[in-house]
């Protein structure tokens, strides 16, 4: 009997705690996407908004791929230096990707870094095949791990998060997974905080823009497909307090970064003096059923000015009025953008490579050769261009313009319509060839009458057939060359 009042008090406190986790009515209408803040070590929930709603994880799927790989490493099935091979299936994956050719070999350690920093979809498949033997076998391991962890709202269909209606999770389940990685495999924690990697001369930066910008940020992973919107799982620490924040379905990379920063800040400023030990844990949240929300129309719809992509972090709306329910004390002037700084690099870019050791020749061979540019033939600017021979009027034998013995015959050159070089001047020969030959002989006698009894025009035709050799010597040479394409506008005029 004496325990009943205390039970009632605890029940009332728990109800108050859960009520405090509910979003403000106006905020809920403005934001229909999930967010969650949890203490990593205790599992206490600081904020839960739509945290149990089904959602597409996109590349956050790779956290489960990493978790299953950590299990395999601990079980001794392979080591960090084990070489795994890029298959044709892996090479065929859609971007983001490393782009290695089939047959390229990389260590498990380098593969994990490429997958988590570059978010390389091809490397996720390389890991899946290297660890599980095949993608279907590895995906079964992913789903078994989800069942073992109590991720009741999750099902995985591939190791990289590319669009698949059966690749589903919740913010609550992702928090369970993050805690498992942090608490079970602390030796791999460094993989999630690397700000950039260096492969050959190229430096590839992480899509997680909280690293080296939000004080204390130390991981984890971003994700994006049109159906999911922009997702982010972030971890941070201050002193001995470690938090994780999950933001799903924002409209841009910038928005997810700023919202996560604001959630983390409110979490670090939160006090447990009111609720204490009765605060709900992430495991106590119950997942909802139903299909995942599809953000395609909102995130990738026709009204969007630019094509959405995972690398987008410098455009999109900047939230200014977002506030985490149940956590106050920052002041209305504090926004996610105001919390981001340009901090000194936490570490230099980490070198990754193909093969067992760094080898520039092996790296060069890992990429497909660049497509060769077609070089046009020397005598033609463009292969297959239309060539036209334009006839020119022959000078009359005996006239002043007739070719003298030993002189070179006349040459006519026309230009290619699609050539790169500037075309030869628009041949005045083209109009000259259309009209003159028949008109000139008749016009000359009329213009210059003489007293001679025998007109010149009558004598010349008679002499013409008698001197075929002379005519042949003065015959113009026609060079076939590309002709400039007619201008439709000029033709219309």
């Amino acid at each position: 009997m004496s325990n009943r009042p205390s039970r009632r008090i605890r029940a009332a406190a728990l109800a108050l705690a859960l009520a405090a986790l509910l979003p403000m009515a106006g905020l809920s209408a403005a934001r229909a996407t999930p967010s969650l803040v949890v203490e990593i070590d205790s599992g206490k929930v600081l904020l839960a908004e739509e945290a149990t709603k089904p959602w597409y994880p996109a590349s956050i799927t790779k956290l489960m791929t990493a978790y299953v790989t950590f299990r395999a490493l601990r079980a001794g099935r392979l080591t960090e230096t084990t070489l795994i091979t890029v298959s044709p299936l892996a090479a065929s994956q859609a971007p983001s990707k490393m782009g290695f050719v089939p047959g390229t070999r990389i260590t498990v350690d380098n593969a994990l870094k490429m997958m988590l920093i570059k978010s390389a979809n091809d490397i996720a498949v390389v890991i899946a095949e290297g660890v599980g033997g095949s993608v279907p076998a590895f995906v079964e391991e992913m789903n078994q791990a989800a069942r073992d962890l109590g991720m009741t709202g999750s099902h995985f269909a591939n190791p990289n998060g590319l669009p698949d209606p059966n690749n589903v999770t919740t913010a609550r389940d992702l928090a369970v997974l993050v805690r498992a990685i942090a608490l079970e495999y602390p030796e791999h924690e460094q993989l999630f905080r690397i700000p950039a990697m260096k492969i050959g001369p190229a430096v590839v930066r992480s899509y997680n823009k909280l690293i080296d910008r939000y004080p204390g940020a130390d991981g984890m992973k971003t994700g994006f497909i049109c159906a999911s919107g922009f997702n982010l799982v972030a971890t941070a620490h201050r002193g001995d307090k470690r938090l994780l924040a999950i933001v799903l379905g924002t409209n841009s990379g910038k928005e997810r970064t700023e919202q996560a920063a604001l959630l983390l800040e409110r979490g670090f400023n939160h006090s447990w003096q009111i609720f204490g030990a009765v605060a709900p844990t992430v495991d106590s949240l119950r997942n909802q059923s139903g299909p995942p929300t599809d953000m395609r129309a909102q995130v990738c719809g026709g009204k969007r000015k630019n094509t959405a992509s995972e690398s987008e972090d410098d455009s999109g709306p900047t939230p200014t009025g977002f506030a985490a329910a149940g956590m106050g004390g920052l002041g209305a002037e504090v926004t996610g953008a105001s919390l981001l700084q340009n901090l000194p690099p936490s570490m230099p870019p980490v070198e990754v490579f193909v093969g067992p050791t760094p080898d520039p020749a092996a790296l060069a061979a890992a990429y497909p050769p660049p497509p060769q540019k077609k070089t046009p033939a020397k005598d033609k600017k463009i292969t297959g261009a239309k060539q036209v021979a334009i006839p020119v009027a022959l000078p009359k034998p005996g006239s002043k313009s007739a070719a003298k013995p030993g002189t070179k015959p006349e040459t006519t050159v026309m230009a290619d319509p699609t050539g790169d070089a500037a075309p030869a001047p628009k041949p005045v020969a083209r109009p000259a060839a259309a009209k003159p030959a028949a008109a000139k002989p008749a016009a000359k006698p009329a213009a210059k009458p003489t007293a001679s009894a025998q007109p010149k025009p009558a004598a010349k035709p008679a002499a013409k057939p008698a001197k075929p050799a002379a005519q042949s010597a003065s015959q113009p040479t026609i060079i076939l060359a590309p002709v400039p394409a007619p201008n439709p506008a000029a033709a219309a005029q």
Side-chain angles (χ1 to χ4, degrees):
M1 294 288 291
S2 59
N3 289 335
R4 287 182 180 176
S6 62
R7 288 179 181 175
R8 289 176 182 172
I9 292 172
R10 289 172 63 85
L14 181 57
L16 286 171
L18 290 170
L21 293 173
L22 296 175
M24 296 177 290
L27 182 60
S28 181
R31 278 184 46 83
T33 58
S35 57
L36 181 65
V37 182
V38 176
E39 282 187 349
I40 291 177
D41 295 305
S42 68
K44 291 178 180 179
V45 178
L46 307 186
L47 167 87
E49 183 179 347
E50 301 282 7
T52 60
K53 190 174 184 177
W55 211 264
Y56 295 113
S59 280
I60 293 178
T61 299
K62 296 180 178 97
L63 290 180
M64 179 56 86
T65 301
Y67 180 78
V68 172
T69 305
F70 298 159
R71 276 186 162 188
L73 288 168
R74 183 166 289 180
R77 291 163 55 188
L78 67 172
T79 69
E80 292 183 352
T81 57
T82 299
L83 289 169
I84 50 182
T85 305
V86 177
S87 69
L89 175 62
S92 70
Q93 299 299 297
S96 177
K97 61 194 295 183
M98 295 302 297
F100 298 145
V101 298
T104 303
R105 304 178 76 198
I106 52 179
T107 64
V108 171
D109 178 62
N110 279 323
L112 285 167
K113 290 171 181 172
M114 293 172 189
M115 180 184 73
L116 295 171
I117 299 168
K118 170 67 174 170
S119 197
N121 294 321
D122 51 354
I123 303 302
V125 172
V126 172
I127 292 173
E129 293 177 327
V131 174
S134 68
V135 170
F138 186 84
V139 169
E140 178 50 40
E141 289 193 55
M142 295 171 73
N143 287 315
Q144 183 58 55
R147 290 189 289 271
D148 295 343
L149 294 173
M151 297 171 62
T152 58
S154 296
H155 182 272
F156 297 98
N158 58 52
N160 50 30
L162 283 172
D164 190 302
N166 295 315
N167 214 51
V168 182
T169 191
T170 66
R172 178 260 183 204
D173 282 5
L174 291 174
V176 170
L177 175 59
V178 170
R179 292 189 68 234
I181 292 173
L183 300 176
E184 295 179 28
Y185 300 102
E187 66 271 25
H188 297 296
E189 174 267 343
Q190 190 81 353
L191 287 171
F192 301 97
R193 65 165 62 190
I194 300 174
M197 68 180 188
K198 185 175 185 293
I199 180 161
V203 173
V204 180
R205 304 204 173 275
S206 169
Y207 292 127
N208 184 355
K209 302 304 181 183
L210 285 176
I211 298 176
D212 291 345
R213 293 187 67 200
Y214 178 78
D218 52 23
M220 275 255 187
K221 187 73 189 74
T222 64
F224 168 79
I225 58 175
C226 287
S228 72
F230 290 83
N231 300 340
L232 173 60
V233 172
T235 59
H237 70 279
R238 286 187 189 171
D240 59 354
K241 189 172 185 177
R242 297 194 296 170
L243 299 181
L244 68 90
I246 297 173
V247 176
L248 304 178
T250 67
N251 291 314
S252 71
K254 185 175 184 180
E255 185 177 343
R256 74 181 171 193
T257 301
E258 294 181 4
Q259 286 187 10
L262 186 55
L263 289 174
L264 288 168
E265 190 68 17
R266 292 190 179 280
F268 283 122
N269 283 275
H270 188 271
S271 172
W272 284 109
Q273 292 176 356
I274 299 176
F275 307 118
V278 299
T281 64
V282 66
D283 292 321
S284 69
L285 302 179
R286 293 292 172 258
N287 285 315
Q288 302 174 36
S289 59
T293 301
D294 192 330
M295 299 291 291
R296 181 180 303 275
Q298 182 175 334
V299 176
C300 299
K303 293 182 180 179
R304 190 182 182 93
K305 291 182 180 178
N306 301 315
T307 302
S309 68
E310 172 70 296
S311 59
E312 176 191 309
D313 221 41
D314 300 316
S315 62
T318 301
T320 56
F322 179 78
M327 294 189 287
L330 293 182
E333 73 283 356
V334 178
T335 65
S338 70
L339 297 169
L340 300 176
Q341 312 169 28
N342 288 321
L343 301 172
S346 54
M347 66 177 77
V350 173
E351 183 181 19
V352 295
F353 46 87
V354 301
T357 56
D359 181 357
L363 180 60
Y367 290 106
Q372 293 184 350
K373 294 182 179 179
K374 292 182 180 179
T375 49
K378 291 182 180 179
D379 56 338
K380 298 178 185 178
K381 293 297 177 186
I382 301 291
T383 304
K386 183 179 178 182
Q387 296 176 338
V388 178
I390 307 286
V392 291
L394 300 176
K396 292 177 286 184
S399 68
K400 291 180 181 179
S401 59
K404 294 181 182 179
T407 60
K408 291 183 181 179
E410 182 181 347
T411 300
T412 299
V413 179
M414 301 303 293
D416 188 300
T418 54
D420 295 330
K426 267 192 185 177
V428 257
R430 189 178 269 191
K435 297 180 181 178
K440 258 186 179 176
K444 244 182 180 176
K448 297 183 180 180
T450 61
S452 174
Q454 293 182 350
K456 279 185 183 177
K460 285 175 183 173
K464 204 171 187 178
K467 297 182 180 179
Q471 268 191 355
S472 174
S474 62
Q475 181 70 30
T477 300
I478 306 298
I479 295 180
L480 296 182
V483 180
N487 185 338
Q493 290 175 0

